[in-house]
Amino acid sequence: MTLQERYGELSSLESLLAGCYSGTGGVAVVSGPVGSGKTELLDDLADKAASAGVLHLRATGRKADALVPLGVLTELFHSTELRQAARRVAELLDDAGSGGTLGESGTTPPPRLMHGLTELLQDLAAQGPLLITVDDCHYADAASVHCLTHFVQSLRSTRILLIFAESDHAADRHPRFRTELLRQSRCRWLHLWPLSADGVAAMVQPELDSRAAPAVVDATGGNPLLVRALLADHRQAARPGATRDDQEPAIGRAYGQAIVSCLHRVRPAMLAIARGIAVLGDAASPRRLSALLDLDVDAVTDDIREMELAGLLGDGRFRHPAAEAAVLRDIPCAERMAGHREAARLLHLDGPPATVVARHLVAAGHANETWAVSVLREAAELAEVAQDVDFAVACLELAAQACGAGAQESAVTLQLARAEWQRNPASAARHFDGLVDALRAGDLDRGHVGTVARALLWHGEHHAAQEVLTVAAEEGGADAAVRVHVVREQLRATYPEVLPTALQGRTPPRSRLGQQLRAASALTAVLTRGAGEESIAVATEVLRDAALERADLESIEAALLTLLYADRPDLAAPHCARIIEGISAGQAVTRRTGLLALQAEVALRGGDMAGAERAAREALQLLPPRGWGVAVGSPRSTLVRVLTATGRHAEAADQLAQPVPEAMFRTRHGLLYLNARGHHQLAENRLQPALADFQACGQRMRDWGMDVPSLVPWRSGVAAVHLRAGDPERARKLIEEQLARPGGTHPRTYGSSLRLLAAASDARHRPGLLRKAMEGLQACGDRFELAHTVADMSHAYQVLGELGRSRAMAHHALQLADECRAAALHESLLRQHPQPREKPAPAEPEATAAGNAAVLSEAERRVAELVSLGHTNREVAKALFITVSTVEQHLTRVYRKLSISRRADLPVFQQLHVAEAS
């Protein structure tokens, strides 16, 4: 089918063909860039000629046959339409090809051949119009061109139309032939340009939405061959079962092959330039290509312009990454690697960013130049900042092959280990024995001791970690001692048994090192003395200015842990989410998994069981078990706590059946694991194993000087065991002891402790304790624990015979349980307090409260909140320093505004208020 924008050229050729009927022959030249549709135009004309009964002789020049004498001429006259003249043609061609009659150069055919074939054509024209087409005539052999020139000169007045198609890039290949064509006054010259945007839209419209046309133009430059290849890719992508978006055309294999095919049809210098552009990528320029290929820069510029006109390039670059990739694949391997090697050398002299040069070195697999190692190391650092860990590792692996021994080798190995660590700590472990030796020998800067020590501790190599820290502090001078002091302070929170005390060192200035010490010290203070305002302020400041560079990661984690163990998951959660969002999921895997594990613990302590499970599972899936080292205790313990709390005990048991390193139990991660395992044992009513886990956790915390309940409330676990065993007195003493500990009054710890204390206390004291517990849990936002506390309040009222309040609290607890997906609690409450199948239509207190809560004054809201928590009017008056009469007046207005008539409906309002504040 003729392209919309080729009808004018086709009509022009048809008019020349029509002239043959009146005895007027003609000559036409169809030119244009490679792939512009010249062959298609000739085929369309041939179809018209065939339908009119016109005899058509055709031939095509081929690059591979350009040196075969008379190749094109032989193809032209071996047409099936010339059966009757076959013997005559054969005799002429055989005579020309034998006996050296083509001349010494093989380019000059004998006069007998030219005259004989001319007479044959005249005889054929006498019988009717004759169409002769030679496609890609620039590839015709010299002898054939000589004959074609003779035909042009001799057949002017016959009924013969001669059409020659040539590509712009080779128009000067046969100058004598072209000169003769130019001399023909009746020769018609037709040039095919790439399609316009409208032409492309018309071409793709049957298969693609017209809105896709601009994207097709961008990728093809209007080159019809490339457009057809793109459509082929789109059809492949739209095969049954595949997704398809008509506004985004698929670009794939056919498109790349078409680009390569076009380039193999141009002259060798243009192909070399195109390959050079593919090798250099964004760094390509005429000057650099000239140097890379040893070509004249003006000639390079001209050839680039010609390829741009053909639609193969745009602004000196390939129009789509698929084109560049296809051209790179087409370059023979040895030639491609040599090109990258030379490109690296040229670019290094020009001084572009190290990553640009390093990509060529990596692609070449070669870094023997003296400058290459430093470039590769710099590029790796930049890649790590950009979270392109795979490229960083590739750079450093190449640098390791090329670097010298001693300090340079140790520095490269450390950098490689650090980069590999981000993908999988297990694979990086192979480097650290050599790095320990380098530290001992003085071949590694003491400033890197923290990296080595952390890796050793991660994999449970405690003695080696202690040794390198000691060596670095004692033999590295004053600055090294300060660095070791900071590293120890950072590590103590996780490895307190291995690093029980920090080495003394002078306080660093307010620099990055000073910031790291402040963050680590704030965490240490929370874990040893409980949270203070200063620690929370330091953590908030660190996170506010937090960057994601590797050097700041320890400070970020320390700040998040400070907020978490200060019972402020509400403050930690948004920072955690923001930082994780900025980490590449496919590259900085270890960094992401560590923060996901932390996010899971934050969500758990905030009562978000679904979020905690999601983050913990993602973290465990991203790294293989060996890669986690001792840190596996954190995400696994969170997952066990979630599964236990939501009643999925078999799944929790499966998680606990997974092996963990023995060294984990000497770390903070081990505390979390013991606590989680204890709660699972308790849920399964295995009291003795549960008690052993809780007590082991407590013993470690006391030994490490970290007996802070906001870290792990192990006394709560022991107390729960005693309650289950029927010994509330021992449980009560443990909880009272826990409340007296540093951090015991932090909101979440306080609330959960009071809930247990209520269970261990006389029934008449339980509501008061549970009200205070609810206040603390509301303050920290732990909906899950709050739901259980409200359920306990319902039970407490039931025991006291206050059934109305019990039902109201049960209704409130059901709502909370439903929100935080506490399925086991929800089912338990429904068994105890069956709900009516249908609620009366007029009574919708939830909707009424939601619609009118905003109209309450601040004083009315405070009264309503306290009453909804079960406080009496007298208790409310005492708490707010107002009279009982004032409380009653506020309540009357609250009832009217919320369209309720009794205190029992207030828990619905209170729950709505919590939702607004969260």
Side-chain angles (χ1 to χ4, degrees):
M1 185 176 67
T2 304
L3 299 175
Q4 176 177 290
E5 294 187 353
R6 299 292 184 254
Y7 282 118
E9 289 82 359
L10 180 61
S11 176
S12 181
L13 294 177
E14 286 179 335
S15 67
L16 289 175
L17 185 61
C20 292
Y21 287 96
S22 60
T24 304
V27 179
V29 177
V30 179
S31 62
V34 61
S36 57
K38 301 179 291 295
T39 300
E40 184 177 6
L41 183 63
L42 295 185
D43 289 343
D44 288 341
L45 181 66
D47 292 340
K48 299 284 186 181
S51 63
V54 175
L55 180 63
H56 179 206
L57 305 182
R58 71 175 74 195
T60 299
R62 295 175 179 82
K63 195 173 184 178
D65 298 333
L67 299 179
V68 177
L70 297 177
V72 167
L73 204 68
T74 300
E75 180 183 351
L76 191 67
F77 284 94
H78 275 175
S79 173
T80 55
E81 285 82 356
L82 296 181
R83 291 195 193 97
Q84 296 179 354
R87 175 179 291 182
R88 183 177 172 186
V89 170
E91 289 175 354
L92 290 170
L93 291 175
D94 288 346
D95 182 59
S98 62
T101 56
L102 285 177
E104 294 181 2
S105 64
T107 63
T108 305
R112 180 174 178 273
L113 172 67
M114 292 190 292
H115 293 307
L117 293 177
T118 300
E119 290 176 359
L120 173 60
L121 293 176
Q122 289 172 333
D123 292 344
L124 293 172
Q127 301 171 25
L130 175 62
L131 172 64
I132 297 176
T133 61
V134 180
D135 198 4
D136 287 341
C137 65
H138 48 278
Y139 288 135
D141 60 280
S144 295
V145 169
H146 201 96
C147 287
L148 293 174
T149 304
H150 181 74
F151 295 160
V152 169
Q153 295 169 337
S154 306
L155 301 173
R156 298 175 185 171
S157 302
T158 60
R159 294 193 294 176
I160 299 176
L161 174 61
L162 294 105
I163 303 177
F164 305 101
E166 63 178 14
S167 287
D168 289 346
H169 68 271
D172 58 350
R173 187 176 179 89
H174 299 296
R176 182 171 174 270
F177 177 58
R178 192 171 181 81
T179 300
E180 184 58 38
L181 292 173
L182 288 169
R183 289 180 59 228
Q184 301 296 316
S185 59
R186 297 181 60 201
C187 180
R188 191 167 299 181
W189 295 80
L190 304 176
H191 191 274
L192 304 184
W193 296 101
L195 302 176
S196 68
D198 290 341
V200 170
M203 187 174 178
V204 304
Q205 198 163 14
E207 299 184 57
L208 280 172
D209 191 292
S210 60
R211 290 171 292 180
V216 177
V217 173
D218 288 344
T220 65
N223 184 304
L225 178 65
L226 299 185
V227 174
R228 284 201 169 83
L230 188 147
L231 288 173
D233 282 330
H234 198 71
R235 283 191 291 272
Q236 175 67 17
R239 66 190 185 280
T243 59
R244 174 179 172 180
D245 182 352
D246 285 341
Q247 296 184 47
E248 292 295 333
I251 296 180
R253 186 178 182 84
Y255 172 82
Q257 288 175 335
I259 289 283
V260 170
S261 173
C262 287
L263 291 173
H264 277 284
R265 291 163 59 187
V266 301
R267 57 178 173 270
M270 291 179 72
L271 174 61
I273 291 168
R275 287 177 167 179
I277 291 171
V279 168
L280 286 169
D282 289 340
S285 69
R287 180 181 61 81
R288 286 173 177 159
L289 289 165
S290 172
L292 181 69
L293 303 170
D294 194 22
L295 294 172
D296 178 73
V297 68
D298 291 334
V300 170
T301 302
D302 291 342
D303 283 350
I304 289 175
R305 175 60 180 160
E306 196 165 321
M307 286 188 280
E308 288 175 343
L309 291 173
L312 303 177
L313 301 177
D315 295 328
R317 305 286 186 276
F318 285 103
R319 291 178 167 274
H320 193 275
E324 182 175 303
V327 174
L328 280 174
R329 285 194 302 269
D330 184 61
I331 305 174
C333 182
E335 181 182 335
R336 183 174 64 248
M337 294 176 71
H340 282 297
R341 187 163 56 248
E342 181 63 16
R345 186 188 66 80
L346 288 172
L347 291 172
H348 174 65
L349 296 175
D350 275 359
T355 50
V356 175
V357 180
R359 289 193 184 279
H360 291 289
L361 291 172
V362 170
H366 174 87
N368 290 341
E369 289 80 359
T370 56
W371 49 265
V373 173
S374 61
V375 168
L376 288 165
R377 292 189 62 193
E378 181 184 350
E381 289 182 4
L382 295 171
E384 284 191 77
V385 171
Q387 299 183 49
D388 189 354
V389 178
D390 289 342
F391 180 60
V393 170
C395 288
L396 293 167
E397 285 177 339
L398 186 59
Q401 298 171 18
C403 70
Q408 186 185 51
E409 181 182 23
S410 298
V412 171
T413 302
L414 174 73
Q415 200 175 350
L416 175 58
R418 201 165 53 195
E420 283 190 13
W421 188 275
Q422 289 305 316
R423 295 195 305 194
N424 184 356
S427 66
R430 59 194 171 95
H431 298 295
F432 285 98
D433 286 343
L435 291 172
V436 171
D437 292 338
L439 275 170
R440 291 193 189 108
D443 287 336
L444 187 63
D445 188 325
R446 297 290 195 269
H448 299 303
V449 66
T451 300
V452 178
R454 286 187 187 89
L456 294 171
L457 289 169
W458 181 282
H459 290 297
E461 300 290 339
H462 297 154
H463 295 301
Q466 289 174 319
E467 179 189 353
V468 299
L469 287 169
T470 302
V471 169
E474 293 177 352
E475 300 179 8
D479 288 341
V482 172
R483 289 184 178 277
V484 172
H485 171 60
V486 174
V487 170
R488 278 183 172 271
E489 193 68 23
Q490 291 175 329
L491 294 173
R492 284 176 63 206
T494 301
Y495 308 98
E497 181 178 331
V498 182
L499 304 166
T501 58
L503 292 179
Q504 294 304 311
R506 59 185 174 86
T507 303
R510 283 188 68 85
S511 61
R512 176 170 292 183
L513 197 62
Q515 177 98 324
Q516 290 175 341
L517 181 59
R518 292 177 68 230
S521 298
L523 176 57
T524 299
V526 168
L527 294 180
T528 56
R529 301 189 298 275
E533 292 301 321
E534 183 180 353
S535 296
I536 294 175
V538 169
T540 304
E541 178 186 341
V542 169
L543 291 170
R544 185 185 64 235
D545 302 327
L548 290 177
E549 288 86 352
R550 179 188 63 255
D552 287 332
L553 184 59
E554 289 77 23
S555 298
I556 291 172
E557 290 184 340
L560 289 170
L561 289 170
T562 297
L563 295 178
L564 179 63
Y565 296 137
D567 266 357
R568 296 305 307 270
D570 55 317
L571 295 181
H575 289 294
C576 210
R578 172 179 60 83
I579 294 168
I580 289 174
E581 187 178 353
I583 297 177
S584 168
Q587 289 287 317
V589 175
T590 305
R591 185 182 303 178
R592 183 177 177 85
T593 52
L595 287 167
L596 280 169
L598 207 160
Q599 185 182 48
E601 192 176 353
V602 168
L604 173 69
R605 291 172 181 248
D608 179 8
M609 295 296 165
E613 180 176 358
R614 183 169 55 250
R617 287 193 185 279
E618 183 181 351
L620 289 168
Q621 289 169 358
L622 283 174
L623 266 185
R626 285 186 64 247
W628 271 102
V630 298
V632 72
S634 286
R636 200 170 298 286
S637 64
T638 298
L639 188 54
V640 170
R641 287 298 308 274
V642 170
L643 294 171
T644 301
T646 53
R648 291 174 284 171
H649 303 307
E651 291 183 55
D654 289 342
Q655 290 297 322
L656 290 169
Q658 302 297 317
V660 292
E662 185 63 30
M664 180 196 72
F665 294 100
R666 303 173 68 185
T667 71
R668 173 175 52 83
H669 308 295
L671 297 177
L672 302 174
Y673 188 88
L674 284 170
N675 187 53
R677 191 170 69 183
H679 279 284
H680 171 70
Q681 304 279 24
L682 180 61
E684 294 283 83
N685 211 35
R686 293 192 287 268
L687 301 187
Q688 201 58 44
L691 182 63
D693 278 340
F694 293 134
Q695 289 178 333
C697 186
Q699 187 61 53
R700 284 168 169 77
M701 292 175 70
R702 288 195 297 267
D703 291 345
W704 297 342
M706 295 170 57
D707 191 5
V708 176
S710 57
L711 170 58
V712 175
W714 64 272
R715 290 178 181 83
S716 292
V718 176
V721 172
H722 288 313
L723 281 171
R724 189 77 61 87
D727 191 351
E729 183 60 27
R730 292 183 69 179
R732 186 176 60 79
K733 288 181 179 179
L734 281 164
I735 296 302
E736 288 174 345
E737 182 182 334
Q738 179 164 284
L739 287 167
R741 295 293 306 168
T745 57
H746 294 168
R748 183 174 182 274
T749 302
Y750 181 71
S752 59
S753 296
L754 286 181
R755 180 187 164 214
L756 275 172
L757 186 60
S761 299
D762 187 83
R764 65 179 181 276
H765 298 308
R766 290 175 190 169
L769 291 169
L770 289 170
R771 286 188 208 107
K772 294 178 180 178
M774 290 163 67
E775 290 172 3
L777 293 169
Q778 281 180 257
C780 72
D782 186 342
R783 291 292 190 85
F784 192 88
E785 187 69 17
L786 179 62
H788 283 80
T789 305
V790 175
D792 286 356
M793 179 73 91
S794 172
H795 180 69
Y797 280 136
Q798 187 177 35
V799 170
L800 294 173
E802 298 186 37
L803 300 184
R805 284 188 171 185
S806 176
R807 284 193 296 271
M809 284 293 174
H811 178 66
H812 185 189
L814 275 167
Q815 288 180 313
L816 287 169
D818 187 55
E819 285 177 9
C820 61
R821 301 183 184 180
L825 175 62
H826 195 276
E827 292 174 7
S828 174
L829 286 165
L830 283 177
R831 286 195 299 270
Q832 296 172 31
H833 302 275
Q835 300 295 298
R837 292 187 179 180
E838 294 184 5
K839 295 182 180 179
E844 295 186 358
E846 294 91 340
T848 303
N852 297 297
V855 302
L856 295 182
S857 68
E858 186 61 30
E860 291 164 353
R861 184 182 292 278
R862 286 197 300 268
V863 169
E865 288 175 0
L866 291 173
V867 172
S868 72
L869 290 171
H871 291 284
T872 65
N873 288 3
R874 187 171 300 280
E875 288 170 338
V876 173
K878 184 178 179 180
L880 298 179
F881 302 101
I882 58 178
T883 66
V884 173
S885 176
T886 302
V887 171
E888 292 172 348
Q889 293 172 24
H890 284 323
L891 272 179
T892 299
R893 287 192 291 272
V894 168
Y895 291 164
R896 185 177 68 253
K897 290 180 178 180
L898 298 184
S899 302
I900 59 178
S901 58
R902 55 181 182 166
R903 303 167 75 94
D905 291 331
L906 280 172
V908 177
F909 159 71
Q910 184 270 341
Q911 185 270 333
L912 287 169
H913 177 60
V914 172
E916 292 169 7
S918 62

